[in-house]
Amino acid sequence: EKLKDSNINILFNNNEVVLDFGGYQGMFLHALSQLFKINGLVVDVNKKGIDFAKNVFGFKDSFAIKEINSFKIKKKASLISMVHSF
């Protein structure tokens, strides 16, 4: 809420994709989507976490990867987050 009410000019429309690399269950993107109505995409090595992101938060395009060097994303992301990924 502080981010939304601050003087920072962050504008997302409904077509914006935000990628959370290492997002596990998608909690960060869920919070972001509640504030800005973005389309979230979670990528993580944990398949159970990705299933949670898809089934509970509705991030249907999210997917699990085996390793960091072996994936490609078909959508263009306006913002990429990597909280605690390295």
Side-chain angles (χ1 to χ4, degrees):
E1 284 296 324
K2 287 181 183 180
L3 180 62
K4 187 176 182 181
D5 295 334
S6 72
N7 291 328
I8 299 171
N9 187 15
I10 299 176
L11 298 174
F12 294 111
N13 63 42
N14 290 337
N15 297 322
E16 302 281 353
V17 174
V18 177
L19 166 67
D20 191 7
F21 185 80
Y24 185 47
Q25 295 178 332
M27 295 287 192
F28 174 71
L29 283 186
H30 175 66
L32 202 61
S33 70
Q34 296 298 298
L35 293 173
F36 298 107
K37 307 301 180 206
I38 51 92
N39 292 316
L41 173 62
V42 183
V43 177
D44 199 284
V45 296
N46 188 304
K47 173 85 167 83
K48 289 183 181 181
I50 294 297
D51 290 343
F52 186 92
K54 287 180 171 183
N55 297 325
V56 175
F57 294 134
F59 299 130
K60 300 296 182 198
D61 294 331
S62 300
F63 59 93
I65 60 172
K66 291 184 180 182
E67 58 184 54
I68 191 170
N69 296 327
S70 65
F71 74 99
K72 293 182 182 182
I73 298 171
K74 296 178 182 177
K75 292 186 173 189
K76 180 179 178 181
S78 299
L79 178 69
I80 299 172
S81 63
M82 298 177 71
V83 180
H84 297 287
S85 294
F86 291 111

